[in-house]
Coordinates of all heavy atoms in Angstrom, one line a residue:
V1 N 6.8 -1.8 4.2 CA 7.4 -2.7 5.2 C 8.8 -2.1 5.6 O 9.4 -1.5 4.7 CB 7.5 -4.1 4.7 CG1 8.5 -4.3 3.6 CG2 7.9 -5.1 5.8
E2 N 9.1 -2.2 6.8 CA 10.4 -1.7 7.3 C 11.2 -2.9 7.9 O 10.7 -3.6 8.8 CB 10.3 -0.6 8.4 CG 11.6 -0.1 8.9 CD 11.5 1.0 9.9 OE1 10.4 1.6 10.0 OE2 12.5 1.4 10.5
L3 N 12.4 -3.1 7.3 CA 13.3 -4.1 7.8 C 14.4 -3.4 8.6 O 15.1 -2.5 8.0 CB 13.9 -4.9 6.7 CG 12.8 -5.6 5.7 CD1 13.5 -6.3 4.6 CD2 11.9 -6.5 6.5
S4 N 14.6 -3.7 9.8 CA 15.6 -3.0 10.6 C 16.9 -3.8 10.8 O 16.9 -5.0 11.0 CB 15.0 -2.8 12.0 OG 13.9 -1.9 12.0
C5 N 18.0 -3.0 10.6 CA 19.3 -3.5 10.8 C 20.0 -2.5 11.7 O 20.4 -1.4 11.3 CB 20.0 -3.5 9.4 SG 21.8 -4.1 9.5
I6 N 19.9 -2.8 13.0 CA 20.4 -1.9 14.0 C 21.8 -2.1 14.4 O 22.2 -3.3 14.7 CB 19.5 -2.0 15.3 CG1 18.1 -1.6 14.9 CG2 20.0 -1.1 16.4 CD1 17.1 -2.0 16.0
I7 N 22.7 -1.1 14.3 CA 24.1 -1.2 14.7 C 24.2 -0.7 16.1 O 23.9 0.5 16.4 CB 24.9 -0.3 13.8 CG1 24.8 -0.8 12.3 CG2 26.4 -0.4 14.2 CD1 25.5 0.1 11.3
K8 N 24.6 -1.6 17.0 CA 24.7 -1.2 18.4 C 25.8 -0.3 18.7 O 25.6 0.7 19.4 CB 24.8 -2.5 19.3 CG 23.5 -3.3 19.3 CD 23.5 -4.4 20.2 CE 22.2 -5.1 20.2 NZ 22.0 -6.2 21.1
S9 N 27.0 -0.6 18.3 CA 28.1 0.3 18.6 C 29.2 0.0 17.6 O 29.4 -1.1 17.2 CB 28.6 0.2 20.0 OG 29.2 -1.1 20.2
T10 N 29.9 1.0 17.2 CA 31.0 0.9 16.3 C 32.0 2.0 16.4 O 31.5 3.1 16.8 CB 30.5 0.8 14.8 OG1 31.6 0.7 13.9 CG2 29.7 2.0 14.4
V11 N 33.2 1.7 16.3 CA 34.2 2.8 16.4 C 34.6 3.3 14.9 O 35.2 4.3 14.8 CB 35.5 2.4 17.1 CG1 35.2 2.1 18.5 CG2 36.2 1.2 16.4
T12 N 34.1 2.6 13.9 CA 34.3 3.0 12.6 C 33.4 4.2 12.3 O 32.2 4.1 12.5 CB 34.0 1.8 11.6 OG1 34.8 0.7 11.9 CG2 34.2 2.2 10.1
P13 N 33.9 5.3 11.8 CA 33.1 6.5 11.7 C 32.0 6.3 10.6 O 30.9 6.9 10.8 CB 34.1 7.6 11.2 CG 35.4 6.9 10.9 CD 35.3 5.5 11.5
D14 N 32.2 5.6 9.6 CA 31.1 5.5 8.5 C 31.1 4.0 8.0 O 31.7 3.7 7.0 CB 31.4 6.5 7.4 CG 30.3 6.6 6.4 OD1 29.1 6.2 6.8 OD2 30.5 7.0 5.3
P15 N 30.5 3.1 8.8 CA 30.5 1.7 8.4 C 29.8 1.5 7.1 O 28.9 2.2 6.8 CB 29.8 1.0 9.5 CG 29.1 2.0 10.2 CD 29.8 3.3 10.0
R16 N 30.3 0.6 6.2 CA 29.6 0.3 5.0 C 28.4 -0.6 5.2 O 28.5 -1.7 5.9 CB 30.6 -0.4 4.0 CG 30.0 -0.6 2.6 CD 30.9 -1.3 1.7 NE 30.8 -2.7 1.9 CZ 31.8 -3.6 2.2 NH1 33.0 -3.1 2.3 NH2 31.5 -4.8 2.4
I17 N 27.3 -0.3 4.7 CA 26.0 -1.0 4.9 C 25.5 -1.4 3.5 O 25.4 -0.6 2.6 CB 25.0 -0.2 5.7 CG1 25.5 0.2 7.0 CG2 23.7 -0.9 5.8 CD1 24.8 1.3 7.7
E18 N 25.2 -2.7 3.4 CA 24.6 -3.2 2.2 C 23.4 -4.1 2.5 O 23.4 -4.8 3.5 CB 25.6 -4.1 1.4 CG 26.9 -3.4 1.0 CD 27.9 -4.3 0.3 OE1 27.7 -5.6 0.3 OE2 28.9 -3.8 -0.1
W19 N 22.4 -4.0 1.6 CA 21.2 -4.9 1.7 C 21.2 -5.7 0.5 O 21.4 -5.2 -0.6 CB 19.9 -4.0 1.8 CG 19.6 -3.5 3.2 CD1 20.0 -2.3 3.7 CD2 18.9 -4.2 4.2 NE1 19.5 -2.2 5.0 CE2 18.9 -3.3 5.3 CE3 18.3 -5.4 4.3 CZ2 18.2 -3.7 6.5 CZ3 17.7 -5.8 5.5 CH2 17.6 -4.9 6.6
K20 N 20.9 -7.0 0.7 CA 20.8 -8.0 -0.4 C 19.5 -8.7 -0.3 O 19.0 -9.0 0.8 CB 22.0 -9.0 -0.4 CG 23.3 -8.3 -0.6 CD 24.5 -9.3 -0.5 CE 25.8 -8.5 -0.7 NZ 26.9 -9.4 -0.5
K21 N 19.0 -9.1 -1.4 CA 17.8 -9.9 -1.5 C 18.2 -11.3 -2.0 O 18.8 -11.4 -3.0 CB 16.8 -9.3 -2.5 CG 15.5 -10.1 -2.7 CD 14.6 -9.3 -3.7 CE 13.3 -10.1 -4.0 NZ 12.5 -9.4 -5.0
I22 N 17.7 -12.4 -1.3 CA 18.1 -13.7 -1.7 C 16.7 -14.5 -1.9 O 15.9 -14.6 -1.0 CB 18.9 -14.4 -0.6 CG1 20.1 -13.6 -0.3 CG2 19.2 -15.9 -1.0 CD1 20.8 -13.9 1.1
R23 N 16.5 -14.9 -3.1 CA 15.3 -15.5 -3.5 C 15.6 -16.7 -4.5 O 16.3 -16.4 -5.5 CB 14.3 -14.5 -4.1 CG 13.0 -15.1 -4.5 CD 12.1 -14.1 -5.2 NE 11.0 -14.7 -5.7 CZ 9.7 -14.5 -5.4 NH1 9.4 -13.6 -4.5 NH2 8.7 -15.1 -6.0
D24 N 15.1 -17.8 -4.2 CA 15.3 -19.0 -5.1 C 16.8 -19.2 -5.4 O 17.2 -19.5 -6.5 CB 14.5 -18.9 -6.3 CG 13.0 -18.8 -6.1 OD1 12.6 -19.4 -5.1 OD2 12.3 -18.1 -6.9
G25 N 17.7 -19.0 -4.4 CA 19.1 -19.2 -4.6 C 19.8 -18.1 -5.3 O 21.0 -18.2 -5.5
E26 N 19.1 -17.1 -5.7 CA 19.7 -15.9 -6.4 C 19.9 -14.8 -5.5 O 18.9 -14.4 -4.8 CB 18.8 -15.5 -7.6 CG 18.6 -16.6 -8.7 CD 19.8 -16.8 -9.6 OE1 20.5 -15.8 -9.9 OE2 20.1 -17.9 -9.9
T27 N 21.0 -14.2 -5.5 CA 21.3 -13.0 -4.6 C 21.4 -11.8 -5.5 O 22.1 -11.8 -6.5 CB 22.6 -13.2 -3.8 OG1 22.5 -14.4 -3.0 CG2 22.9 -12.0 -2.9
S28 N 20.7 -10.7 -5.1 CA 20.8 -9.4 -5.8 C 20.9 -8.3 -4.8 O 20.5 -8.4 -3.7 CB 19.5 -9.2 -6.7 OG 18.3 -9.2 -5.9
Y29 N 21.5 -7.2 -5.3 CA 21.7 -6.1 -4.4 C 20.4 -5.3 -4.3 O 19.7 -5.1 -5.4 CB 22.8 -5.1 -4.9 CG 24.2 -5.6 -4.6 CD1 25.0 -6.1 -5.6 CD2 24.6 -5.6 -3.3 CE1 26.3 -6.5 -5.3 CE2 25.9 -6.0 -3.0 CZ 26.7 -6.5 -4.0 OH 28.0 -6.9 -3.7
V30 N 20.1 -4.8 -3.1 CA 19.0 -3.9 -2.9 C 19.5 -2.5 -2.7 O 19.1 -1.5 -3.3 CB 18.1 -4.3 -1.7 CG1 17.0 -3.3 -1.4 CG2 17.5 -5.7 -2.0
F31 N 20.5 -2.4 -1.7 CA 21.2 -1.2 -1.4 C 22.7 -1.5 -1.4 O 23.2 -2.3 -0.7 CB 20.8 -0.7 0.0 CG 21.4 0.6 0.4 CD1 20.9 1.8 -0.2 CD2 22.4 0.7 1.3 CE1 21.5 3.0 0.2 CE2 23.0 1.9 1.7 CZ 22.5 3.1 1.1
F32 N 23.4 -0.8 -2.4 CA 24.8 -1.0 -2.5 C 25.5 0.3 -3.0 O 24.9 1.0 -3.8 CB 25.1 -2.1 -3.6 CG 26.5 -2.4 -3.9 CD1 27.3 -3.0 -3.0 CD2 27.1 -1.9 -5.1 CE1 28.7 -3.3 -3.3 CE2 28.4 -2.2 -5.4 CZ 29.2 -2.8 -4.5
D33 N 26.7 0.6 -2.5 CA 27.4 1.8 -2.8 C 26.6 3.0 -2.5 O 26.6 4.0 -3.3 CB 27.8 1.7 -4.3 CG 29.0 2.7 -4.6 OD1 29.7 3.1 -3.7 OD2 29.1 3.0 -5.8
N34 N 25.9 3.0 -1.4 CA 25.1 4.1 -0.8 C 23.9 4.5 -1.7 O 23.5 5.6 -1.7 CB 26.0 5.3 -0.5 CG 26.8 5.1 0.7 OD1 26.3 4.5 1.7 ND2 28.0 5.5 0.7
K35 N 23.4 3.5 -2.6 CA 22.3 3.8 -3.3 C 21.4 2.6 -3.6 O 22.0 1.5 -3.6 CB 22.6 4.6 -4.6 CG 23.6 3.8 -5.5 CD 24.0 4.7 -6.7 CE 25.0 4.1 -7.6 NZ 26.3 4.5 -7.4
M36 N 20.1 2.8 -3.8 CA 19.2 1.7 -4.1 C 19.6 1.1 -5.5 O 20.1 1.8 -6.4 CB 17.8 2.2 -4.2 CG 17.2 2.5 -2.8 SD 17.2 1.0 -1.8 CE 17.1 1.8 -0.2
Q37 N 19.3 -0.1 -5.7 CA 19.6 -0.8 -6.9 C 18.3 -1.4 -7.6 O 17.3 -1.7 -6.9 CB 20.6 -2.0 -6.7 CG 21.9 -1.5 -6.0 CD 22.7 -0.7 -6.8 OE1 22.9 -0.9 -8.0 NE2 23.2 0.4 -6.3
G38 N 18.4 -1.7 -8.9 CA 17.3 -2.4 -9.6 C 15.9 -1.7 -9.4 O 15.8 -0.5 -9.4
D39 N 14.9 -2.5 -9.2 CA 13.5 -2.0 -9.1 C 13.3 -1.3 -7.8 O 12.2 -0.7 -7.6 CB 12.5 -3.0 -9.4 CG 12.4 -4.1 -8.3 OD1 13.4 -4.4 -7.7 OD2 11.2 -4.6 -8.1
F40 N 14.2 -1.4 -6.9 CA 14.1 -0.7 -5.6 C 14.4 0.8 -5.6 O 14.0 1.5 -4.7 CB 15.0 -1.4 -4.5 CG 14.5 -2.8 -4.2 CD1 15.2 -3.9 -4.8 CD2 13.5 -3.0 -3.3 CE1 14.7 -5.2 -4.5 CE2 13.1 -4.3 -3.0 CZ 13.7 -5.4 -3.6
V41 N 15.0 1.2 -6.7 CA 15.3 2.6 -6.8 C 14.1 3.5 -6.7 O 14.2 4.6 -6.0 CB 16.0 2.9 -8.2 CG1 16.1 4.4 -8.5 CG2 17.3 2.2 -8.3
T42 N 13.0 3.1 -7.2 CA 11.8 4.0 -7.2 C 10.8 3.7 -6.0 O 9.9 4.4 -5.8 CB 11.0 3.9 -8.5 OG1 10.6 2.5 -8.7 CG2 11.8 4.4 -9.7
R43 N 11.1 2.6 -5.3 CA 10.1 2.3 -4.2 C 10.7 1.8 -2.9 O 10.0 1.2 -2.1 CB 9.2 1.2 -4.8 CG 9.9 -0.1 -5.1 CD 8.9 -1.1 -5.8 NE 9.5 -2.4 -5.9 CZ 9.4 -3.3 -5.0 NH1 8.6 -3.2 -4.0 NH2 10.0 -4.5 -5.2
A44 N 12.0 2.2 -2.7 CA 12.6 1.9 -1.4 C 13.5 3.0 -0.9 O 13.9 3.8 -1.7 CB 13.4 0.5 -1.5
E45 N 13.7 3.0 0.4 CA 14.6 4.0 0.9 C 15.3 3.5 2.2 O 14.8 2.6 2.8 CB 13.9 5.4 1.2 CG 12.8 5.2 2.2 CD 12.0 6.5 2.5 OE1 12.6 7.6 2.3 OE2 10.8 6.4 2.8
I46 N 16.3 4.2 2.6 CA 17.0 3.8 3.9 C 16.6 4.9 4.9 O 16.7 6.1 4.6 CB 18.6 3.8 3.6 CG1 19.0 2.7 2.7 CG2 19.3 3.7 5.0 CD1 18.7 1.3 3.1
L47 N 16.2 4.4 6.1 CA 15.9 5.3 7.2 C 16.9 5.1 8.3 O 17.4 4.0 8.5 CB 14.5 5.0 7.8 CG 13.3 5.3 6.9 CD1 12.0 4.9 7.7 CD2 13.3 6.7 6.5
S48 N 17.3 6.2 8.9 CA 18.2 6.2 10.0 C 19.5 5.4 9.7 O 20.1 4.7 10.5 CB 17.6 5.5 11.3 OG 16.4 6.2 11.6
R49 N 20.0 5.6 8.5 CA 21.2 5.0 7.9 C 21.2 3.5 7.8 O 22.1 2.9 7.1 CB 22.4 5.4 8.8 CG 23.2 6.6 8.4 CD 24.5 6.8 9.1 NE 25.3 5.6 9.1 CZ 26.0 5.2 10.1 NH1 26.1 5.9 11.2 NH2 26.7 4.1 10.1
T50 N 20.3 2.8 8.4 CA 20.4 1.3 8.4 C 19.1 0.6 8.0 O 19.1 -0.5 7.5 CB 20.8 0.8 9.7 OG1 19.9 1.2 10.7 CG2 22.2 1.2 10.0
S51 N 17.9 1.1 8.3 CA 16.7 0.4 8.1 C 16.2 0.5 6.7 O 16.2 1.6 6.1 CB 15.6 0.9 9.0 OG 15.9 0.6 10.4
L52 N 15.8 -0.6 6.1 CA 15.3 -0.6 4.7 C 13.8 -0.5 4.7 O 13.1 -1.3 5.3 CB 15.7 -1.9 4.0 CG 15.2 -2.2 2.6 CD1 15.8 -1.1 1.6 CD2 15.6 -3.6 2.2
V53 N 13.2 0.4 4.0 CA 11.8 0.6 3.9 C 11.4 0.3 2.4 O 11.9 1.0 1.5 CB 11.3 2.0 4.3 CG1 9.8 2.2 4.0 CG2 11.6 2.3 5.7
I54 N 10.5 -0.7 2.2 CA 10.1 -1.0 0.9 C 8.6 -0.6 0.8 O 7.8 -1.1 1.6 CB 10.2 -2.5 0.6 CG1 11.7 -3.0 0.8 CG2 9.8 -2.9 -0.9 CD1 11.8 -4.5 0.7
K55 N 8.3 0.2 -0.2 CA 6.9 0.7 -0.4 C 6.2 -0.2 -1.5 O 6.9 -0.8 -2.3 CB 6.9 2.1 -0.9 CG 7.6 3.1 0.0 CD 7.8 4.4 -0.6 CE 8.8 5.2 0.2 NZ 9.3 6.4 -0.5
N56 N 4.9 -0.3 -1.4 CA 4.1 -1.1 -2.3 C 4.6 -2.5 -2.5 O 4.9 -2.9 -3.6 CB 4.1 -0.4 -3.7 CG 3.5 1.0 -3.6 OD1 2.6 1.3 -2.9 ND2 4.1 2.0 -4.3
T57 N 4.8 -3.2 -1.4 CA 5.3 -4.6 -1.5 C 4.3 -5.5 -2.2 O 3.1 -5.3 -2.1 CB 5.6 -5.1 -0.1 OG1 4.5 -5.0 0.7 CG2 6.8 -4.4 0.6
T58 N 4.9 -6.4 -2.9 CA 4.1 -7.5 -3.6 C 4.6 -8.8 -3.2 O 5.7 -8.9 -2.6 CB 4.1 -7.3 -5.1 OG1 5.4 -7.6 -5.6 CG2 3.7 -5.9 -5.5
R59 N 4.0 -9.9 -3.7 CA 4.5 -11.2 -3.4 C 5.9 -11.4 -4.0 O 6.6 -12.3 -3.5 CB 3.5 -12.3 -3.9 CG 2.3 -12.4 -3.0 CD 1.5 -13.6 -3.3 NE 0.7 -13.5 -4.5 CZ -0.5 -13.2 -4.6 NH1 -1.2 -13.0 -3.5 NH2 -1.1 -13.2 -5.8
M60 N 6.2 -10.7 -5.0 CA 7.6 -10.8 -5.6 C 8.7 -10.3 -4.6 O 9.8 -10.6 -4.8 CB 7.7 -10.0 -6.9 CG 6.8 -10.6 -8.0 SD 7.3 -12.3 -8.5 CE 8.9 -12.0 -9.1
D61 N 8.3 -9.6 -3.6 CA 9.3 -9.1 -2.6 C 9.5 -10.2 -1.5 O 10.4 -10.0 -0.7 CB 8.8 -7.8 -1.9 CG 8.7 -6.7 -2.9 OD1 9.7 -6.5 -3.7 OD2 7.7 -6.0 -3.0
T62 N 8.7 -11.3 -1.5 CA 8.9 -12.4 -0.6 C 10.3 -12.9 -0.8 O 10.6 -13.4 -1.9 CB 7.9 -13.5 -0.7 OG1 6.6 -12.9 -0.4 CG2 8.2 -14.7 0.1
A63 N 11.2 -12.9 0.2 CA 12.6 -13.3 0.1 C 13.3 -13.2 1.4 O 12.7 -12.7 2.4 CB 13.3 -12.5 -1.0
M64 N 14.5 -13.7 1.5 CA 15.4 -13.4 2.6 C 16.1 -12.2 2.3 O 16.7 -12.0 1.2 CB 16.4 -14.6 2.8 CG 17.3 -14.4 3.9 SD 16.5 -14.7 5.5 CE 16.2 -16.5 5.4
Y65 N 16.2 -11.2 3.2 CA 16.9 -10.0 3.1 C 18.1 -10.0 4.0 O 17.9 -10.3 5.2 CB 16.0 -8.8 3.3 CG 15.0 -8.6 2.2 CD1 13.8 -9.3 2.1 CD2 15.3 -7.7 1.1 CE1 12.9 -9.2 1.1 CE2 14.4 -7.5 0.1 CZ 13.2 -8.3 0.0 OH 12.4 -8.1 -1.0
R66 N 19.3 -9.7 3.5 CA 20.5 -9.7 4.4 C 21.0 -8.3 4.5 O 21.3 -7.6 3.5 CB 21.5 -10.6 3.8 CG 22.8 -10.6 4.6 CD 23.8 -11.5 4.0 NE 23.4 -12.9 4.1 CZ 23.6 -13.9 3.2 NH1 24.4 -13.7 2.2 NH2 23.2 -15.1 3.4
C67 N 21.2 -7.9 5.7 CA 21.9 -6.6 6.0 C 23.3 -6.9 6.4 O 23.5 -7.7 7.3 CB 21.2 -5.8 7.1 SG 22.1 -4.3 7.6
E68 N 24.3 -6.4 5.6 CA 25.7 -6.6 5.9 C 26.3 -5.3 6.3 O 26.2 -4.3 5.6 CB 26.4 -7.2 4.7 CG 25.9 -8.6 4.3 CD 26.6 -9.1 3.1 OE1 27.5 -8.4 2.5 OE2 26.3 -10.2 2.7
V69 N 27.1 -5.3 7.4 CA 27.7 -4.1 7.9 C 29.2 -4.4 8.0 O 29.6 -5.4 8.6 CB 27.2 -3.8 9.3 CG1 27.9 -2.5 9.9 CG2 25.7 -3.5 9.3
A70 N 30.0 -3.6 7.4 CA 31.5 -3.7 7.4 C 32.0 -2.5 8.1 O 31.8 -1.4 7.7 CB 32.0 -3.8 6.0
A71 N 32.7 -2.8 9.2 CA 33.3 -1.7 10.1 C 34.8 -2.1 10.3 O 35.1 -2.7 11.3 CB 32.6 -1.6 11.4
P72 N 35.6 -1.6 9.3 CA 37.0 -2.1 9.4 C 37.8 -1.7 10.6 O 38.8 -2.3 11.0 CB 37.7 -1.4 8.1 CG 36.6 -0.6 7.5 CD 35.3 -0.8 8.2
S73 N 37.4 -0.6 11.3 CA 38.1 -0.2 12.5 C 37.7 -0.9 13.8 O 38.3 -0.7 14.8 CB 37.9 1.3 12.7 OG 38.4 2.0 11.6
D74 N 36.7 -1.8 13.7 CA 36.2 -2.5 14.9 C 36.9 -3.8 15.0 O 37.5 -4.3 14.1 CB 34.7 -2.7 14.7 CG 33.9 -1.4 14.9 OD1 34.3 -0.4 14.3 OD2 32.9 -1.5 15.6
T75 N 36.7 -4.4 16.2 CA 37.2 -5.7 16.5 C 36.5 -6.7 15.6 O 37.2 -7.6 15.0 CB 37.0 -6.1 18.0 OG1 37.6 -5.1 18.8 CG2 37.6 -7.4 18.3
K76 N 35.2 -6.7 15.5 CA 34.5 -7.5 14.6 C 34.2 -6.7 13.3 O 33.4 -5.8 13.3 CB 33.1 -7.9 15.2 CG 32.4 -9.0 14.4 CD 31.2 -9.5 15.2 CE 30.6 -10.7 14.4 NZ 29.5 -11.3 15.1
T77 N 35.0 -7.0 12.3 CA 35.0 -6.1 11.1 C 33.8 -6.2 10.2 O 33.4 -5.3 9.5 CB 36.2 -6.3 10.3 OG1 36.3 -7.7 9.9 CG2 37.5 -5.9 11.1
I78 N 33.1 -7.4 10.3 CA 31.9 -7.6 9.5 C 30.8 -8.4 10.2 O 31.2 -9.3 11.0 CB 32.2 -8.2 8.1 CG1 31.0 -8.1 7.1 CG2 32.7 -9.7 8.3 CD1 31.4 -8.3 5.7
D79 N 29.6 -8.0 10.0 CA 28.5 -8.7 10.7 C 27.3 -8.6 9.7 O 27.2 -7.8 8.8 CB 28.1 -8.1 12.0 CG 27.5 -9.1 12.9 OD1 27.2 -10.3 12.5 OD2 27.2 -8.8 14.1
E80 N 26.3 -9.5 9.9 CA 25.2 -9.5 9.1 C 24.0 -10.0 9.9 O 24.1 -10.7 10.9 CB 25.4 -10.4 7.9 CG 25.6 -11.9 8.2 CD 25.9 -12.7 7.0 OE1 26.7 -12.2 6.1 OE2 25.4 -13.8 6.9
I81 N 22.8 -9.7 9.3 CA 21.5 -10.2 9.9 C 20.6 -10.6 8.7 O 20.6 -9.9 7.7 CB 20.8 -9.2 10.8 CG1 19.6 -9.8 11.4 CG2 20.5 -7.9 10.1 CD1 18.9 -9.0 12.5
N82 N 20.0 -11.7 8.8 CA 19.0 -12.2 7.8 C 17.6 -12.0 8.3 O 17.3 -12.4 9.4 CB 19.3 -13.7 7.4 CG 20.6 -13.8 6.7 OD1 20.9 -13.1 5.8 ND2 21.4 -14.8 7.2
I83 N 16.8 -11.5 7.4 CA 15.4 -11.3 7.8 C 14.5 -11.9 6.7 O 14.6 -11.5 5.5 CB 15.0 -9.8 7.9 CG1 15.9 -9.1 9.0 CG2 13.5 -9.6 8.2 CD1 15.8 -7.6 9.0
Q84 N 13.6 -12.8 7.1 CA 12.7 -13.4 6.1 C 11.5 -12.6 6.0 O 10.8 -12.4 7.0 CB 12.3 -14.9 6.6 CG 11.4 -15.6 5.6 CD 11.9 -15.8 4.2 OE1 13.0 -16.3 4.1 NE2 11.2 -15.4 3.2
L85 N 11.2 -12.1 4.8 CA 10.0 -11.3 4.5 C 9.0 -12.2 3.7 O 9.4 -12.7 2.6 CB 10.3 -10.1 3.7 CG 9.1 -9.2 3.3 CD1 8.4 -8.7 4.5 CD2 9.6 -8.1 2.4
T86 N 7.8 -12.3 4.2 CA 6.8 -13.0 3.5 C 5.6 -12.1 3.2 O 5.0 -11.6 4.2 CB 6.3 -14.3 4.3 OG1 7.4 -15.1 4.6 CG2 5.2 -15.1 3.5
V87 N 5.3 -11.8 2.0 CA 4.2 -11.0 1.6 C 3.1 -11.9 1.1 O 3.3 -12.6 0.2 CB 4.6 -10.0 0.5 CG1 3.5 -9.1 0.1 CG2 5.8 -9.2 0.9
Q88 N 1.9 -11.8 1.7 CA 0.8 -12.7 1.4 C -0.2 -12.0 0.5 O -0.3 -10.8 0.5 CB 0.2 -13.2 2.7 CG 1.1 -13.9 3.5 CD 0.5 -14.8 4.5 OE1 -0.7 -14.8 4.7 NE2 1.3 -15.6 5.2

């Protein structure tokens, strides 16, 4: 599955991008500090700097995924998008 977090425009040369998984009120990192975290290390990757691709998805991957972008040089320094993923 591919979850897209598209950055339209930014003047910050290298904005910080983080992906988080929110399930049952618990938040965990998926992509943080420019690397995959937890069980995503072996089955996920970042495409085009922003899109999250999760391979071999299972029902345990059903959650809200949040992409957070921090661009300190921009007028809007932080933005986020939430994507609900349901694996049946």
Side-chain angles (χ1 to χ4, degrees):
V1 67
E2 181 176 348
L3 306 178
S4 294
C5 180
I6 298 167
I7 301 172
K8 292 188 178 182
S9 65
T10 179
V11 295
T12 301
D14 191 19
R16 188 183 82 236
I17 298 162
E18 296 175 359
W19 278 93
K20 296 176 182 175
K21 177 181 177 181
I22 305 161
R23 181 181 169 120
D24 300 328
E26 299 284 323
T27 302
S28 59
Y29 282 108
V30 175
F31 182 75
F32 177 73
D33 200 20
N34 287 320
K35 57 187 176 260
M36 289 297 162
Q37 305 292 316
D39 71 326
F40 291 99
V41 170
T42 57
R43 60 189 193 93
E45 64 182 326
I46 296 293
L47 291 182
S48 303
R49 266 191 49 217
T50 58
S51 292
L52 174 66
V53 176
I54 305 170
K55 303 170 192 163
N56 302 319
T57 55
T58 68
R59 284 194 286 261
M60 291 301 295
D61 294 313
T62 294
M64 180 74 68
Y65 288 82
R66 177 179 294 149
C67 174
E68 296 179 0
V69 179
S73 300
D74 288 44
T75 305
K76 189 171 187 178
T77 58
I78 192 161
D79 205 357
E80 65 185 40
I81 184 171
N82 291 315
I83 302 169
Q84 177 64 50
L85 174 64
T86 302
V87 182
Q88 301 198 354

